[in-house]
Amino acid sequence: MTDALKRLSDEGVAIWLDDLSRKRITSGNLAELIDEQHVVGVTTNPSIFQKAISHGDGYEQQLTDLATRKVTVDEAIRMITTADVRDAADILRPVFDATDGQDGRVSIEVDPRLAHRTAATVAEAKQLAWLVDRPNTLIKIPATKAGLPAITEVIGKGISVNVTLIFSLERYREVMDAYLAGLEKAKAAGLDLSKIHSVASFFVSRVDSEIDKRLDAIGTDEAKALKGKAALANARLAYQAYEEVFGSERWAALDKAQANKQRPLWASTGVKDPAYKDTLYVVDLVAPGTVNTMPEATLDATADHGQITGNTIAGTYEQARAELDAVAKLGISYDDVVQLLEDEGVEKFEASWIDLLNSTEAELKRLAPSEG
C-alpha cells in the first residue's frame, strides 16, 4: 500500500467519496476513511440513495416510525436521506472547521424530477438546506438550462451549491457565470461571501463511454487510436476555462470581498472500460484547487497502486484541443454527445428516484401497523 492518496492531497486535490449509506455511517467506516484514506467530503445522488435504501441496512426502524405516522412516500424519502446527510455532515465537521469551510462537505441533490423547473428547484434547495440544517452541506443542482438561473438565485441567498451533471465546456462556462452572478447578488444583499462555497461537478468517464462507442463504430485505425482520450481532454480544457474565469477582473472584485472560487470537481471517475487503468481519471487529472469524488473501488485502487506524479493537467491544453478536434474530424459531434449525456444523466437520476419512491412505498406498506 503506497500513500498515493496523501500525495494526491498534497498536490491540492480534495478527495471526496462518491457514496453514502446509513451502514457506512453507523459502522464507523466513514470516520475510518476520513482518518486513514484522506477523505475530506462525501457526494450523494439519487442512484446512491436508491441503492443504499433498497439494501435496507439500518433503515427499518425509521421506516417503521414513518409508516406508523402515515407520512407520504415523498416525505419519508426526505426524512431518510436528510438524516443520513446530517449524520455524515456531523462526522465531517472537524474537517470543515480545519479547512475553514472548504472541505468537510456533504452533498444532497434536489429532486431530479425538478431538473427543468427553475422556481421549483430554488424552493427545493431552500427546503433541503433548512431540513439538513448543517453549515457543511452542499445542495446539488443539475446544470440544465433551467438549473442555471436557479444556481444564481440559490447562491444569492447564501446557500452553498454543488452544480452537477456538467458535460460540456460551454455549459461549464455558463455554470461559472451563474455562480459569479449569484455571488454578486449575495454581495449586494450584504451577505458574507466567505461563507458561500461551490463546486462544479464535471463528469468524466461517461464522455469516453459515449465517444468510444462511436469511435468503435467507425472502426478505422485512426478512430481506435483516439479511444480513451476524449474524457481527459474535455476535463483538462475545463480546467483551462476555470483558470481563465477565476483569473478575470470580474472575479478579482469578488475575491476582494473574500469570495471563494468555485472548484472544479471531477465526477464519474470510476473507469467503465476494463482496458483502461482503473486509476485513469484520478492520476491523469491532478491539479491544485480541484476535487475528485471517487467510488470506493476507485479510492481503493488509487490507494493501492495509483502513481501520483505531480500536476498532470498543466501544459496539456494544446494536446487536449487537438484530440477533441481529431474526434470531430471523424464526424463525431461534440455538441450532440454532451447534450445526449446531459439528457441521459437527468433521466437516469429521475429513474433512480422513481425506483426509490416505489421501493420505499412498498416498505412503508409492509411495515404499517394493522388498524385497530
Side-chain angles (χ1 to χ4, degrees), residues 209-223:
S209 296
E210 182 60 33
I211 288 182
D212 283 359
K213 185 168 69 177
R214 299 182 187 208
L215 290 169
D216 279 335
I218 293 168
T220 62
D221 289 343
E222 186 184 7

Side-chain angles (χ1 to χ4, degrees), residues 16-22 24-25 42-56 59 77 80-81 84-85 106-109 112 140 162 164 203 206 267-268 293-296 348-349 351-353 355-356 359:
W16 291 9
L17 178 71
D18 193 24
D19 190 51
L20 186 63
S21 68
R22 190 155 298 177
R24 196 181 283 285
I25 292 165
V42 170
T43 48
T44 67
N45 62 47
S47 301
I48 285 169
F49 276 128
Q50 191 273 330
K51 182 180 167 190
I53 296 169
S54 64
H55 286 178
Y59 295 99
I77 286 171
I80 292 165
T81 57
D84 280 359
V85 168
V106 187
S107 298
I108 183 168
E109 191 138 0
K140 289 180 87 172
N162 175 344
T164 187
F203 278 53
R206 294 187 197 180
S268 178
T293 184
M294 309 177 205
E296 192 167 20
K348 283 175 183 172
F349 281 170
S352 292
W353 195 257
D355 285 347
L356 176 55
S359 57

Side-chain angles (χ1 to χ4, degrees), residues 127-140:
Q127 172 75 355
L128 281 175
W130 177 83
L131 266 177
V132 177
D133 193 27
R134 294 294 184 272
N136 50 330
T137 310
L138 289 170
I139 307 303
K140 289 180 87 172

Side-chain angles (χ1 to χ4, degrees), residues 97-162:
D97 292 337
T99 60
D100 200 23
Q102 184 88 315
D103 289 305
R105 296 268 174 182
V106 187
S107 298
I108 183 168
E109 191 138 0
V110 296
D111 185 331
R113 294 171 297 178
L114 307 178
H116 302 295
R117 295 166 55 197
T118 302
T121 294
V122 173
E124 171 94 343
K126 287 160 59 181
Q127 172 75 355
L128 281 175
W130 177 83
L131 266 177
V132 177
D133 193 27
R134 294 294 184 272
N136 50 330
T137 310
L138 289 170
I139 307 303
K140 289 180 87 172
I141 296 175
T144 56
K145 277 291 184 187
L148 295 170
I151 292 157
T152 296
E153 191 71 19
V154 172
I155 290 289
K157 293 182 184 303
I159 297 170
S160 294
V161 172
N162 175 344

